[in-house]
Amino acid sequence: MNDIPAINSPPLRRRRLIALGGLVALTVMMSPAEAQKPAGIPILAYHRFDPAIAGPTTVTRRAFTSQLAWLAQHGFRIVRLRDAVTELKAPTATAVSKEAVITVDDGHRSVYTILFPLIRKLDIPVTLFIYPSAIGRASYALTWDQLREMQATGLVDVQSHTYWHPDFNAERRHRKPADFQHFVDDQLRRSKAVLEAHLGKPVDMLAWPYGIVAPDLEVAARNAGYAFAFAYEGGPAKPGADPLALPRVPVADATRGERIVAQRIARSEGQRP
């Protein structure tokens, strides 16, 4: 951890802007002039963490701290997801400051055992996108007590990843239209209701499972009470982007330096984006 610059954080009640740099994940290598006014905010998408062993969507502790160090060295700030999307949605937004966001999908227990100690030490805000059917039930998943503990720090915001992470394309193929619509509504509304009941805070953001988004799904999300929803790929989120299909930048263990971030992560070994 000594390779990560020290951070002096503002109080929690103020907008959190952490002096961490902009990840290798900004779509292209930029000139110094271009880097002063990025075209968008990279909303970084992680999944699982491990002390030493990487996987298709598993980032090691060493790689994650290295990515944070790169961010700090290049002058980007890690901000709350809600602050970032509010900035992007502003009518006057034409360019954004050097900011990045950390999101983590699914609710794997390594979020608590590996990521949480790091973000507490560095005072970094993250957003977790959770599918609650697994919480407290699946052996790999977080518990409700762990989510409440992390949320209580003010560093962790818990939002929806649908109720049990379905593949909406596959469901659409084998269901009749009315049945599919009912299924989508249930996935979106039940996740929101369960998370709010267990955690006591509003849920109005959603990460689309597998990054699958379509116009009818956006309508369903809006009707279910979601203000923002996120895809899985697409590069930095830009001002004026569709608030219910905001792009993110997948992060792999191999993400380093100023390399372009791969927009596709292998979906094998049962891993779920």
Side-chain angles (χ1 to χ4, degrees):
M1 295 296 294
N2 293 334
D3 59 346
I4 301 178
I7 299 170
N8 295 317
S9 302
L12 287 175
R13 66 178 180 275
R14 294 168 52 194
R15 185 180 180 195
R16 185 177 304 278
L17 299 175
I18 310 300
L20 292 171
L23 184 110
V24 264
L26 293 174
T27 62
V28 295
M29 294 178 63
M30 297 181 294
S31 70
E34 291 172 325
Q36 296 305 310
K37 290 187 177 181
I41 299 175
I43 301 172
L44 312 179
Y46 289 86
H47 288 82
R48 298 156 187 78
F49 302 88
D50 189 88
I53 301 174
T57 57
T58 298
V59 173
T60 62
R61 183 190 287 116
R62 180 176 181 178
F64 182 68
T65 56
S66 175
Q67 290 160 358
L68 293 182
W70 195 96
L71 285 164
Q73 292 161 7
H74 288 75
F76 279 71
R77 303 172 297 173
I78 292 181
V79 301
R80 294 181 184 277
L81 178 61
R82 190 170 302 279
D83 291 337
V85 295
T86 299
E87 179 180 355
L88 291 168
K89 193 177 180 181
T92 57
T94 56
V96 293
S97 56
K98 294 179 72 173
E99 299 171 346
V101 174
I102 294 176
T103 68
V104 187
D105 289 4
D106 296 346
H108 194 269
R109 61 176 177 250
S110 61
V111 170
Y112 182 79
T113 59
I114 296 174
L115 178 66
F116 185 45
L118 292 174
I119 67 171
R120 279 197 301 182
K121 183 173 183 178
L122 297 173
D123 204 26
I124 297 170
V126 304
T127 294
L128 307 182
F129 288 112
I130 300 297
Y131 55 96
S133 64
I135 302 303
R137 297 179 180 179
S139 60
Y140 62 82
L142 294 163
T143 67
W144 290 112
D145 284 344
Q146 288 169 339
L147 284 172
R148 282 188 283 264
E149 179 186 345
M150 290 189 289
Q151 180 179 266
T153 66
L155 294 172
V156 177
D157 184 26
V158 181
Q159 297 291 325
S160 173
H161 201 23
T162 69
Y163 185 67
W164 55 255
H165 200 292
D167 180 333
F168 283 134
N169 285 343
E171 297 294 335
R172 190 192 297 273
R173 285 193 295 269
H174 76 255
R175 293 177 183 268
K176 293 182 179 180
D179 181 40
F180 177 71
Q181 185 63 59
H182 175 77
F183 174 79
V184 170
D185 290 342
D186 180 67
Q187 283 289 318
L188 300 181
R189 294 175 186 273
R190 198 186 336 177
S191 176
K192 186 177 190 298
V194 170
L195 289 170
E196 290 178 343
H198 278 276
L199 302 176
K201 288 191 175 181
V203 170
D204 66 350
M205 293 192 285
L206 166 74
W208 295 108
Y210 305 105
I212 296 168
V213 59
D216 61 332
L217 297 178
E218 290 192 44
V219 171
R222 187 178 297 108
N223 291 341
Y226 293 98
F228 300 98
F230 302 84
Y232 185 58
E233 299 174 344
K238 299 179 181 180
D242 181 353
L244 292 175
L246 288 163
R248 291 189 293 167
V249 177
V251 182
D253 192 76
T255 300
R256 297 288 189 279
E258 295 183 2
R259 252 195 289 171
I260 298 171
V261 167
Q263 291 301 301
R264 292 185 182 276
I265 291 179
R267 296 173 185 171
S268 60
E269 301 177 359
Q271 302 288 357
R272 290 181 162 190

